[in-house]
Amino acid sequence: MSSSWSYGTAIQALSSEEDLSESFSTSSLNFSSGNPRIEETRGLMHLFRHDSNSSLSSSNPSPLPVGRKPLVCVLGVPNHMTYADFCQFSGSFIHHILEMRIVRMDGVEDQYSVLIRFDDQDSTDSFYKHYNGRHFSSLEVEVCRVLFTIDVQYTGSIEHAQPSNSSSNEQPTCPVCLERLDQDTSGILTTICNHSFHCSCISKWADSSCPVCRYCQQQAEKSICFVCQTTENLWICVICGFVGCGRYKEGHAIIHWKETQHCYSLEVETKRVWDYVGDNYVHRLIQSKTDGKLVELNSHCVHADNGCGSCSCEDNAMSEAILNSKVEAIVNEYNELLASQLESQKLLNENLLKNEEIWKAKLLEIEERERKALKLTDGRVVGLEEQLRDLMACLEGAKNVEMLQGANEIKDVIVFDTPRES
């Protein structure tokens, strides 16, 4: 069997499953990973694939290959599924995963694949039985295809790589939580740009870009010239968004500048801005080859005097030297910015403390005023109670007097009306 068995053939073989009476043969698939503008790693995966020409042996009645390892490859994951989406899709199996690696398959641009290594064979078999042939979601037409992986070989072919300053004996850390990337404590996910994170950390990242270098796994659609439909040497007008080819093609970008006087144009391949009036590059930011981040750079094209509009022969050593010379200035600028922000925070904190003291004084004043008002109210209540007692005593005395007067009058009447005895 040829080792260059293509991805399309793999999908066709997977789609031709009719029942469980199948055996497995091996195949090889080429893959790659990494940010192409920084470094790119290529490799070869040896996989078990379905073969419907022979049947299963009686000793292995389940559709699982003999000699399999706790290593599988999930093929055909749609690009719109982020790292967090795939971690959520893996469900309860995420706790049994030691390592996941996102890779590209040669010739496939709208999908990616995931190499997964589990802690034991039982978890691997359960993952295969649960997810193989299952839709990624009820709204998706793509089906999850899981293949057992025999071996993974890295063939190197690293481009634009920079030497690492860290020791090879030092265990890397997660850029999110800064903890050690230890497979024994938690699973590790390596993104398509070769940056590693804890699965629990990357599962909270809702974006499809890398938290470190912002490289997006979703490749942008290829642009074409609005006039001649070519896809080579393209420039985008930063004023109106017109896409035209460069002067080494049909020159539609320059024609657009002459017609509209929109003098700034962005080269699609290098992301650099060209000024047609000044006839030179005027960009201020470029993508660092070290970590993929945007850094400040204002370098004049060495061929600008000759009318070069799409220079691709710039001295790499000179570019790196200019980039390194800007690092210190950028660090100083950020330090000054940080110092100014800290000073602003200090002033803000002082103002907050002053406001706190003012409000405390106002609160004490209000409490004192309330205390005095309460004391005055209590005094008034006591006075009213005393007046009420006096009034009640007066009323009681008047009532008693009336009762005594009435009793005397009755006594006098009885005495005068009684006749004397003879």
Side-chain angles (χ1 to χ4, degrees):
M1 179 179 296
S2 174
S3 60
S4 60
W5 191 67
S6 65
Y7 178 77
T9 307
I11 296 299
Q12 183 178 1
L14 286 171
S15 302
S16 62
E17 297 180 2
E18 298 179 356
D19 52 25
L20 297 181
S21 298
E22 298 176 350
S23 63
F24 292 78
S25 57
T26 61
S27 62
S28 299
L29 295 178
N30 295 318
F31 71 91
S32 63
S33 62
N35 188 339
R37 295 183 60 85
I38 303 174
E39 65 177 8
E40 189 173 12
T41 304
R42 295 188 174 274
L44 185 66
M45 288 187 296
H46 299 278
L47 308 172
F48 287 105
R49 71 177 178 90
H50 292 276
D51 187 359
S52 57
N53 295 327
S54 58
S55 60
L56 294 171
S57 62
S58 59
S59 61
N60 187 25
S62 62
L64 300 178
V66 178
R68 62 189 180 279
K69 299 178 181 179
L71 181 65
V72 297
C73 179
V74 180
L75 298 173
V77 182
N79 260 344
H80 61 78
M81 285 191 66
T82 63
Y83 307 122
D85 292 337
F86 188 81
C87 291
Q88 184 178 4
F89 174 74
S90 301
S92 60
F93 290 94
I94 199 71
H95 301 290
H96 298 282
I97 294 176
L98 297 180
E99 184 179 5
M100 289 195 295
R101 188 178 187 91
I102 312 296
V103 296
R104 308 183 198 90
M105 307 307 295
D106 289 355
V108 181
E109 297 182 354
D110 59 344
Q111 296 176 344
Y112 63 91
S113 299
V114 186
L115 283 168
I116 306 177
R117 185 162 62 89
F118 289 87
D119 54 0
D120 55 40
Q121 191 63 53
D122 292 337
S123 301
T124 311
D125 297 342
S126 299
F127 181 88
Y128 175 85
K129 295 177 182 178
H130 184 73
Y131 287 108
N132 187 35
R134 176 181 177 183
H135 289 275
F136 288 102
S137 70
S138 58
L139 302 178
E140 297 288 345
V141 296
E142 292 86 352
V143 177
C144 178
R145 301 298 184 182
V146 184
L147 289 179
F148 284 96
T149 306
I150 303 173
D151 189 20
V152 178
Q153 298 175 353
Y154 292 94
T155 58
S157 183
I158 300 177
E159 302 175 0
H160 309 295
Q162 297 293 329
S164 176
N165 296 327
S166 59
S167 175
S168 58
N169 296 327
E170 183 180 358
Q171 190 177 20
T173 59
C174 175
V176 178
C177 65
L178 303 181
E179 297 293 337
R180 298 292 183 183
L181 291 173
D182 189 0
Q183 296 178 355
D184 297 333
T185 58
S186 61
I188 299 174
L189 186 143
T190 302
T191 60
I192 203 167
C193 52
N194 293 335
H195 290 116
S196 298
F197 307 85
H198 291 125
C199 290
S200 57
C201 295
I202 198 66
S203 61
K204 302 175 184 177
W205 186 256
D207 195 1
S208 60
S209 62
C210 173
V212 174
C213 66
R214 303 298 179 179
Y215 178 75
C216 186
Q217 69 188 29
Q218 299 174 353
Q219 299 299 319
E221 296 181 359
K222 292 184 177 180
S223 301
I224 59 175
C225 177
F226 286 177
V227 180
C228 63
Q229 311 301 316
T230 183
T231 59
E232 299 179 0
N233 191 20
L234 296 179
W235 296 77
I236 300 177
C237 177
V238 299
I239 307 298
C240 65
F242 176 86
V243 180
C245 55
R247 65 185 67 184
Y248 295 108
K249 284 294 183 180
E250 300 294 332
H252 292 121
I254 301 177
I255 295 175
H256 173 74
W257 162 60
K258 293 179 179 179
E259 293 177 348
T260 62
Q261 297 300 313
H262 295 169
C263 59
Y264 295 112
S265 186
L266 174 70
E267 187 177 9
V268 174
E269 183 179 359
T270 62
K271 303 298 186 294
R272 298 184 297 180
V273 178
W274 180 264
D275 179 15
Y276 287 106
V277 176
D279 201 26
N280 62 348
Y281 286 107
V282 293
H283 58 278
R284 295 292 185 269
L285 298 176
I286 65 171
Q287 191 174 28
S288 172
K289 296 181 180 180
T290 305
D291 54 8
K293 297 181 180 179
L294 293 177
V295 295
E296 182 181 4
L297 178 63
N298 184 17
S299 60
H300 184 73
C301 178
V302 296
H303 303 290
D305 296 334
N306 297 327
C308 176
S310 59
C311 179
S312 60
C313 56
E314 184 179 4
D315 189 355
N316 292 331
M318 180 63 68
S319 299
E320 293 299 327
I322 296 175
L323 176 60
N324 292 333
S325 66
K326 293 291 183 178
V327 171
E328 185 177 357
I330 295 173
V331 171
N332 292 335
E333 180 180 355
Y334 280 115
N335 287 336
E336 293 177 0
L337 178 62
L338 179 61
S340 63
Q341 293 298 321
L342 290 176
E343 184 66 23
S344 301
Q345 293 292 332
K346 179 181 178 181
L347 295 176
L348 178 61
N349 187 41
E350 291 178 355
N351 292 332
L352 290 175
L353 292 176
K354 291 179 181 179
N355 291 335
E356 183 181 3
E357 294 297 330
I358 294 174
W359 284 108
K360 283 183 178 180
K362 290 184 177 181
L363 181 61
L364 292 175
E365 182 181 353
I366 293 173
E367 290 178 351
E368 181 66 20
R369 186 164 57 249
E370 291 293 334
R371 187 180 63 81
K372 292 180 178 180
L374 182 61
K375 183 178 180 180
L376 179 61
T377 302
D378 292 340
R380 290 179 178 179
V381 170
V382 172
L384 291 174
E385 288 179 350
E386 291 178 354
Q387 293 178 8
L388 180 61
R389 283 197 300 269
D390 294 341
L391 180 60
M392 293 299 296
C394 292
L395 292 176
E396 187 68 24
K399 184 178 180 180
N400 292 333
V401 170
E402 290 178 357
M403 291 178 64
L404 289 175
Q405 290 177 354
N408 293 331
E409 290 177 358
I410 293 173
K411 183 177 180 182
D412 293 339
V413 171
I414 295 174
V415 170
F416 288 107
D417 290 343
T418 303
R420 293 184 174 180
E421 294 181 356
S422 57

